[in-house]
Amino acid sequence: SGGSSVCFRCAMPVDYSKFANIEDSDEEREEQEQKQREEMKKEMEIMQGRPADKPAARPAKTEVVKDDEDEKIEWYRHREWKPAEPKQEFAPSKLDQPVAVANDVGTQKKAEASQWNVAGTWEERNMIGWAKAELASLLVGVSADMDGKGLVKVDKIDSIEGDCSIPIVRGRPRYIFDLCFTVHFVAETTIDGKSGKSKGTIKFEGFSHDDFEDEGCRMALKFTDEKSVGAAEKRVVVEACGATRRAVEQGHGLCAAIHTKLATFASSLEKQ
């Protein structure tokens, strides 16, 4: 055909024989020889019944333990700690002036701040123990006449409840009380030639430093043996007790006498 063409059949063949004489490098030759020697050595050891060489084991790591005494550590030595100053023995010493001690029986002769309260801050003395003893001292034995028909008398005081204290504020004492108590009375009567004896209680409430002078106490009378008390005897005893505001204002009866005694309670508290 027209034009040039290439004939692959007529192309010169490649001669590979020239690559046959190429020698390996020195490094490759040494590696091959080393492998051959190792393989031969393993075969000889197997034939002789000896195991092949195992890789050398790493030497065991030895742990060095240090003694704690060599280290200067102090945080755990608290039991061995000793104060720099020697131990001192303290003994109580007597004060030149007696200390005002707050108590229940009111042993102080005058309400004044304690020796420790130099700044004159709030201080309070509980006087409820003194109040109980004072009420019993004032009222037990108080009596009232029944206009010739007998006598009613206070036998005992109990159920005393409330507060009684002397707070000292800025060096100035205040006298505070708010109490309630029960008066037990015994009435002996002679009506129309017949003698009788009855018992009962009068509950006093609202005995306080704020209201007593103006309003007195609230009172409630109750007979212990009311069923056994005759009508005439009961009327005479109730009138003799005078457990009403009007009777107290008129100064008539047992309750009026009790109010007179109670009026001295505040002045006695101020002397404590």
Side-chain angles (χ1 to χ4, degrees):
S1 61
S4 61
S5 61
V6 179
C7 181
F8 294 97
R9 294 180 180 178
C10 297
M12 182 179 292
V14 178
D15 185 8
Y16 293 97
S17 60
K18 61 182 179 180
F19 298 105
N21 296 325
I22 297 176
E23 296 181 357
D24 296 334
S25 63
D26 295 340
E27 294 180 357
E28 293 177 352
R29 186 165 52 252
E30 290 178 359
E31 290 179 0
Q32 291 179 359
E33 291 176 356
Q34 180 67 22
K35 290 181 180 180
Q36 291 175 0
R37 284 194 298 271
E38 291 178 356
E39 291 176 359
M40 290 178 63
K41 183 178 179 181
K42 290 180 180 180
E43 291 177 359
M44 290 295 293
E45 290 177 350
I46 293 172
M47 291 176 65
Q48 294 177 2
R50 292 186 303 173
D53 293 339
K54 295 182 179 180
R58 295 183 179 181
K61 185 179 180 181
T62 58
E63 183 177 356
V64 179
V65 179
K66 295 182 179 180
D67 190 358
D68 292 342
E69 294 182 357
D70 297 337
E71 299 180 6
K72 295 182 179 180
I73 301 177
E74 300 294 339
W75 59 269
Y76 65 91
R77 299 181 185 272
H78 60 278
R79 294 185 179 180
E80 301 177 5
W81 177 86
K82 294 183 179 179
E85 298 180 359
K87 182 179 179 182
Q88 299 180 4
E89 297 293 339
F90 294 95
S93 58
K94 187 176 180 180
L95 298 175
D96 296 335
Q97 297 179 357
V99 179
V101 180
N103 50 42
D104 289 343
V105 296
T107 56
Q108 290 179 248
K109 295 182 179 180
K110 185 179 180 181
E112 56 185 7
S114 299
Q115 193 174 28
W116 59 264
N117 192 3
V118 179
T121 56
W122 175 274
E123 180 182 350
E124 184 174 4
R125 293 173 55 197
N126 185 4
M127 302 298 293
I128 187 64
W130 174 88
K132 292 179 179 180
E134 183 68 10
L135 286 175
S137 176
L138 289 174
L139 303 183
V140 173
V142 174
S143 62
D145 184 66
M146 298 183 182
D147 296 332
K149 296 180 180 179
L151 186 73
V152 59
K153 181 174 66 175
V154 175
D155 183 43
K156 66 177 181 178
I157 308 293
D158 64 7
S159 302
I160 301 173
E161 299 176 353
D163 300 315
C164 182
S165 62
I166 303 178
I168 300 175
V169 184
R170 300 181 182 275
R172 298 183 60 183
R174 299 180 182 179
Y175 305 94
I176 297 175
F177 59 91
D178 188 358
L179 302 167
C180 61
F181 53 91
T182 300
V183 172
H184 293 255
F185 67 85
V186 177
E188 296 179 356
T189 59
T190 303
I191 302 173
D192 297 333
K194 295 182 180 181
S195 299
K197 185 176 182 179
S198 59
K199 297 181 180 180
T201 60
I202 304 175
K203 179 72 173 179
F204 283 77
E205 295 180 341
F207 177 47
S208 68
H209 62 284
D210 288 331
D211 303 330
F212 178 72
E213 292 184 2
D214 297 331
E215 301 179 8
C217 298
R218 298 184 298 275
M219 298 157 289
L221 185 148
K222 181 179 180 181
F223 282 92
T224 304
D225 49 355
E226 187 171 1
K227 293 183 180 180
S228 62
V229 180
E233 182 182 358
K234 182 178 181 180
R235 184 170 57 255
V236 171
V237 173
V238 169
E239 183 179 356
C241 287
T244 62
R245 177 61 181 166
R246 181 178 180 180
V248 171
E249 291 178 350
Q250 293 177 352
H252 175 72
L254 180 65
C255 289
I258 291 175
H259 273 72
T260 302
K261 290 289 187 178
L262 291 177
T264 64
F265 181 89
S267 59
S268 298
L269 180 60
E270 294 177 1
K271 296 177 182 179
Q272 302 305 309

